[in-house]
Each structure stands twice: as structure tokens, then as C-alpha cells.
Amino acid sequence: MALIIMALLTSLITLTSCAREAVSAPEEIPETPTEEAEGTEQPPEPPEEIDYSQEQFGVEFDTRLPSFLVIGSEQVFKIKVVNKSSFTWYSGGANPVRLGYHFYKQDEDFQVYDDGTRGYLAENVAPGQSTVIELPIKPPDRSGYYIIQLDMVVEDFSWFSAQGAQVHEAFVFVGK
């Protein structure tokens, strides 16, 4: 038993000393990027103009929305989306891709688009990749039952749904 304890202590001391040797002192860290850092790819900048009319639009939503929203209370939701489009969603440039929403009433002619409140991409999203977008949602000012639709948009071009992509719908009650 004493031999096993000695062997474990020896192993622990060896591992600890090896770990200490692997840590560099602050003055040993190079100020210029290493070769490995230089080889990493930066996200591509969006082209100045993209012809979206030839692209396929698609998105997959992986989220749940609440069934109740409070009038006058903007809430932020984390929405996971997967890029099912044929193009990269750019977070910047002339036509960034963003997440928006629409409210509809079932029994009357009522619709409210997101009042300019959109969810922004933190980075570019290539086809097949996913990301989480924080979406601030401000419910309508009238209480009642609504359908909320989540929809992606290429700013200054089109909503994804207008190009044939699916939306995410949920029923919600808005009240005080």
C-alpha cells in the first residue's frame, strides 16, 4: 500500500513540474502574431453587391417562443437558426442578414412588423452553419391572441418568406 501511495505521489509531482515548465512567463510571450495565428482565416468581407435574385433562401429555426407577452414590455429572446440558404449570411455590408418578426391577428385584418427592432448576426454564417441571435420583441399595444412569425431578412432586398423560405410561427396572448 505504501508503494502505491509513493508511486501516486511521484506521478503527481512529475505532472505538476511538467505543467509548470509548459507555462511561459509573461515576458516570454511574443508581441507579434505567431505563424499559427497568421494562418487563421478571418471572416470574409461581404462583396459590395450580391445578386440575391439567383440565390435560394432557407432557414431552420430551433426555438420556442412564450405563449404570453406583456403589453409595453420589450423582451429579448435567444433564437437558434441554421442557414439553409445557398449563400453566406453576412453580418455587415450593404445588405446584412437579420432576424425580424411579424404579429398577425387571426380574425381581423391586423399586422405589425417588427417596428425596426431586429436581431443582428454576431458573425457571418455560411450555408449549413448555425448561430444564436438575440431578438428583442415588442408586442402590440392591444391585448388579444396573435400569431407571431419569425422571419429572416436581407436588408434592402427581401424578407426570406417572400423568397419561399419557411417562417417560424407561434400563438401568443398579449395582455397586461
Side-chain angles (χ1 to χ4, degrees), residues 45-53 55 90 92-95 154 157:
E45 291 296 317
E48 286 192 31
E49 282 195 39
I50 299 173
D51 183 9
Y52 288 106
S53 65
E55 300 292 348
Y90 290 104
N95 304 101
V154 175
F157 179 74

Side-chain angles (χ1 to χ4, degrees), residues 46-64:
E48 286 192 31
E49 282 195 39
I50 299 173
D51 183 9
Y52 288 106
S53 65
Q54 302 301 313
E55 300 292 348
Q56 292 181 341
F57 288 71
V59 59
E60 180 181 305
F61 293 93
D62 182 9
T63 190
R64 287 181 167 242

